Amino acid sequence: MKIHEQRLQRLHEKLALSKNAVNRVELTHYVFEGDKEMDFNQKLDFAKRKRTEFFKVLNTLRAGSFAENKEKNKNRKTKYKVIYDKKNDTYSYAKGSTIPNLDSLAVDERLTLPLLMGILYANQSLAIASKIYDQLQDKYNISEEEIQSGIAITSNMQDFQNDNTVEIVVELQKLIYQNQRISFFYKPVSLNEKVATVLTYPLQILYHDGLYYLWGISNLKDTKIKCYRIDRITKLKSTKNAGLDWSFKQERDRLKIVKILEHIIGVVPPLPEQKPTKIRLKFFGWAAAYILSAPLHNSMIVQQKEENYCIVQITVYDSFEVAFLLGRFRDYCQVLTPLQFGIDRRVS
């Protein structure tokens, strides 16, 4: 992006995002990216030296003489009214003036738009995803060619249009934020378990493999986190805390939820006092190539890499979900340590 266009966008952003008028000296300093360490007198001198260039950028904005405006208005230009308050030495968009919708993305940022559009399109059953998709297309004048060059998301996505899962997720978010204890009917995934009434203090919503989950605790002294699949929840309501004051933030801090999330695979919460386990794994052939390009977990460290195999280490909570994940690699994965973890999947 040309330097003049970058300055034009910075000028527009400062005027559009500021609630009040912007001081000319500060505006010039921002538009031309002056040194952050300047004091006011240095900024004043800087503004004087940039005076001619500043008016060139300002006149371009006022005249609507920029690519986005020309593209939208074809053979005509839309002018924008930027007023100057001589008494206060400030600039602002005039009240009632049309405000331009400039593309403030750098070239490399714009090239990632098709990826984001692909993700939103794959989740279009969510009303907000569909809305943002349309807004992005309009805001950045995304062409049909750019959309067609987007990324096709092929992973299984749950269609939430025909149930109220998203409504429950939104309601849960509100109740968590309001520090409310909740109750609901829960139909366990296991076929032999009956519907139960659950009372819990909700702490965290998770999204994994196309489904939403809720973490909560039964009482405020509990250290055991329980997990519920949100699409199995009905009759959700607040219990008004039964006279107890509590803070979801304090409980999250007490249970170190953020730290847990750093070392979890899947959604099953660790048992109280359980520590993350360092698991050393040896992958062979295609599996080695795959996990080197798509790491199993953000804690993964490559300890050895050879032509036909690699050895890596992950630090995660031991659960059936880890074993399930490794099971997809079948005989191409061997657990080196700890020895008691699962079984050796490598054929001798």
Side-chain angles (χ1 to χ4, degrees):
M1 186 180 295
K2 296 178 180 178
I3 189 67
H4 184 75
E5 293 173 344
Q6 293 175 351
R7 290 168 177 170
L8 176 68
Q9 288 171 358
R10 286 197 290 271
L11 173 62
H12 159 67
E13 288 168 359
K14 196 70 171 177
L15 292 173
L17 296 177
S18 300
K19 294 182 179 180
N20 301 312
V22 186
N23 176 271
R24 178 183 57 85
V25 174
E26 295 294 337
L27 185 58
T28 307
H29 181 260
Y30 179 78
V31 169
F32 293 92
E33 296 186 299
D35 190 339
K36 293 181 181 179
E37 303 302 321
M38 289 182 183
D39 59 29
F40 183 77
N41 288 329
Q42 290 172 321
K43 288 181 180 179
L44 182 62
D45 180 63
F46 179 81
K48 288 179 180 178
R49 287 186 279 112
K50 294 291 184 181
R51 180 181 177 86
T52 301
E53 292 178 90
F54 173 78
F55 280 113
K56 285 182 180 179
V57 178
L58 179 62
N59 289 335
T60 299
L61 180 60
R62 281 174 166 161
S65 182
F66 41 86
E68 289 88 345
N69 193 43
K70 292 175 182 177
E71 176 65 26
K72 280 190 172 183
N73 296 282
K74 303 301 179 184
N75 297 324
R76 65 182 179 85
K77 297 176 183 177
T78 297
K79 296 183 178 180
Y80 302 99
K81 192 172 183 181
V82 179
I83 58 175
Y84 173 64
D85 182 343
K86 189 173 182 180
K87 180 180 179 181
N88 296 307
D89 195 24
T90 58
Y91 288 92
S92 63
Y93 278 118
K95 289 185 178 179
S97 170
T98 302
I99 297 178
N101 191 13
L102 294 182
D103 182 346
S104 59
L105 298 176
V107 174
D108 57 341
E109 291 175 328
R110 189 174 184 90
L111 289 174
T112 62
L113 267 179
L115 171 60
L116 178 58
M117 297 291 281
I119 295 171
L120 290 170
Y121 185 79
N123 290 275
Q124 61 183 324
S125 60
L126 300 178
I128 187 62
S130 180
K131 183 175 182 179
I132 294 174
Y133 181 94
D134 292 337
Q135 289 177 340
L136 283 176
Q137 188 173 357
D138 179 64
K139 178 177 176 62
Y140 295 114
N141 298 311
I142 302 172
S143 67
E144 190 62 31
E145 289 77 12
E146 286 178 291
I147 291 176
Q148 291 178 3
S149 72
I151 312 300
I153 309 299
T154 59
S155 61
N156 293 329
M157 301 302 298
Q158 182 79 2
D159 186 354
F160 297 110
Q161 287 182 319
N162 298 320
D163 61 30
N164 63 344
T165 299
V166 174
E167 293 177 15
I168 296 175
V169 169
V170 172
E171 182 66 14
L172 281 169
Q173 285 180 305
K174 182 181 76 173
L175 293 172
I176 291 173
Y177 185 74
Q178 293 176 344
N179 299 309
Q180 297 291 311
R181 189 177 73 161
I182 61 174
S183 71
F184 52 82
F185 290 165
Y186 188 67
K187 184 179 181 181
V189 178
S190 300
L191 297 178
N192 59 346
E193 294 186 44
K194 297 180 180 180
V195 175
T197 300
V198 174
L199 290 171
T200 190
Y201 293 88
L203 299 176
Q204 178 70 54
I205 295 172
L206 302 90
Y207 182 74
H208 174 68
D209 202 19
L211 293 169
Y212 288 97
Y213 298 82
L214 172 69
W215 279 2
I217 51 175
S218 298
N219 62 70
L220 296 179
K221 295 182 180 179
D222 214 340
T223 56
K224 184 178 182 180
I225 303 168
K226 296 181 179 180
C227 181
Y228 306 94
R229 229 175 76 177
I230 293 178
D231 63 308
R232 316 288 289 188
I233 289 175
T234 57
K235 307 293 184 181
L236 171 67
K237 64 180 182 180
S238 166
T239 63
K240 305 299 182 185
N241 290 344
L244 295 174
D245 290 328
W246 74 292
S247 162
F248 81 91
K249 184 179 183 307
Q250 288 180 3
E251 292 304 306
R252 283 172 55 86
D253 291 345
R254 178 177 71 86
L255 295 167
K256 298 180 173 59
I257 296 291
V258 173
K259 199 69 177 176
I260 290 174
L261 291 172
E262 291 178 359
H263 295 285
I264 196 170
I265 285 182
V267 297
V268 176
L271 296 172
E273 308 305 322
Q274 184 179 355
K275 303 295 183 183
T277 301
K278 291 184 178 180
I279 304 173
R280 294 181 69 243
L281 304 159
K282 189 174 184 179
F283 290 90
F284 305 85
W286 65 267
Y290 179 86
I291 64 106
L292 288 175
S293 58
L296 292 172
H297 188 259
N298 56 20
S299 67
M300 192 179 93
I301 299 171
V302 179
Q303 296 185 330
Q304 188 175 345
K305 182 168 64 174
E306 303 296 340
E307 184 176 353
N308 296 318
Y309 72 88
C310 69
I311 295 175
V312 303
Q313 176 181 285
I314 57 175
T315 305
V316 296
Y317 291 102
D318 185 356
S319 73
F320 73 87
E321 289 181 291
V322 180
F324 181 79
L325 172 64
L326 298 180
R328 67 189 292 196
F329 298 102
R330 304 186 305 280
D331 297 336
Y332 294 87
C333 173
Q334 177 185 3
V335 178
L336 300 179
T337 57
L339 295 177
Q340 70 273 20
F341 180 85
I343 60 171
D344 185 350
R345 294 171 176 79
R346 176 66 178 172
V347 176
S348 59

